[in-house]
Amino acid sequence: MNDTPHDPDHDEFDALNGIDPADEADAEAGLNADPAHTGVGMDNLDAIIDERDQWKDRALRAVAEVENIKRRAETQNNDARAYAIQRFARDLLGVADNLERALQAAPKDADGAAAGLVTGLELTQKSLLSAFASNNLVRVAPEAGEAFDPHLHQAMMEQPSDTVAGGAVIQTLQAGYALFGRTVRPAMVVVAAKGSGPAPGTSASEAAHAYEASANPTGGAHDSKA
């Protein structure tokens, strides 16, 4: 019930200005908050939607930035760990090389105490390489015929070959190592010159026999993992 006294002059003013008393009553009751009652409410709704979209876009950008920061931090941490291990790994590569040379110089037909020494060197080398592998330090020693990879191999010389295609590895002079996919030391290799390769009609077994004979004139097979 409305206790406001009725004012005839007010009704006359509304009639002259085209104001509907029902609309005026709704406005006083707060019903004009409905956008259907006025164009001002619809404009406010559009502004609110635009502001909502802006905040949503800002929130999505902030989440994406946080993810980027996390990825960068993880990459930097991995790089720091890899760098620390890499320095230590380089110091151990000399030990691995000395073991390799000792095994190469050891007699193949040793017996007695000498045979035990050779076995001990082999077990030590196996244990060291296993420790390398468990820490993602991988030995790189390409076999004859493998493709040359400039990221992992270093060509020390180039020579013609009747058994290996041009551009492929003929022989590994010194094994290399890679840590987490990064080259710690490239493998030193001999690369087949351009135009190299088996002669037409040569079988794979004949080519392999020719390679062994050329690599080691004494008739022994060459150890490409030297």
Side-chain angles (χ1 to χ4, degrees), residues 34 82 127 137 164 225:
D34 188 348
S127 179
L137 182 62
V164 176
K225 295 184 178 180

Side-chain angles (χ1 to χ4, degrees), residues 65-109:
E65 182 63 23
V66 169
E67 291 297 325
N68 289 334
I69 292 174
K70 288 172 60 178
R71 282 194 293 267
R72 285 197 296 267
E74 184 177 357
T75 300
Q76 291 173 355
N77 289 336
N78 290 337
D79 290 343
R81 287 196 297 268
Y83 177 72
I85 299 175
Q86 185 173 358
R87 295 181 59 187
F88 181 64
R90 283 202 181 107
D91 294 337
L92 288 178
L93 294 186
V95 178
D97 293 339
N98 289 333
L99 278 173
E100 189 107 33
R101 295 187 188 100
L103 286 171
Q104 288 177 349
K108 304 301 180 183
D109 55 351

Side-chain angles (χ1 to χ4, degrees), residues 141-147 153 164 168-172 211 222-225:
E143 300 285 349
E146 290 188 22
H153 309 152
V164 176
V169 174
I170 296 177
Q171 178 183 353
T172 297
Y211 168 74
H222 172 73
D223 183 4
S224 64
K225 295 184 178 180

Side-chain angles (χ1 to χ4, degrees), residues 178-202:
L179 178 66
F180 292 107
R182 299 181 179 182
T183 302
V184 175
R185 186 182 74 186
M188 298 180 182
V189 300
V190 179
V191 180
K194 184 178 180 180
S196 297
T202 303

Side-chain angles (χ1 to χ4, degrees), residues 203-216:
S203 65
S205 59
E206 291 174 342
H209 180 73
Y211 168 74
E212 291 177 359
S214 62
N216 192 342

Side-chain angles (χ1 to χ4, degrees), residues 15-67:
L16 292 174
N17 289 276
I19 299 175
D20 189 350
D23 291 341
E24 185 177 12
D26 289 343
E28 292 176 355
L31 297 179
N32 59 352
D34 188 348
H37 287 76
T38 176
V40 177
M42 184 62 69
D43 292 341
N44 289 339
L45 180 60
D46 291 339
I48 292 172
I49 292 175
D50 290 341
E51 184 176 4
R52 180 206 64 184
D53 292 341
Q54 291 176 8
W55 281 108
K56 182 179 179 180
D57 182 67
R58 291 179 183 179
L60 293 175
R61 290 177 182 272
V63 171
E65 182 63 23
V66 169
E67 291 297 325

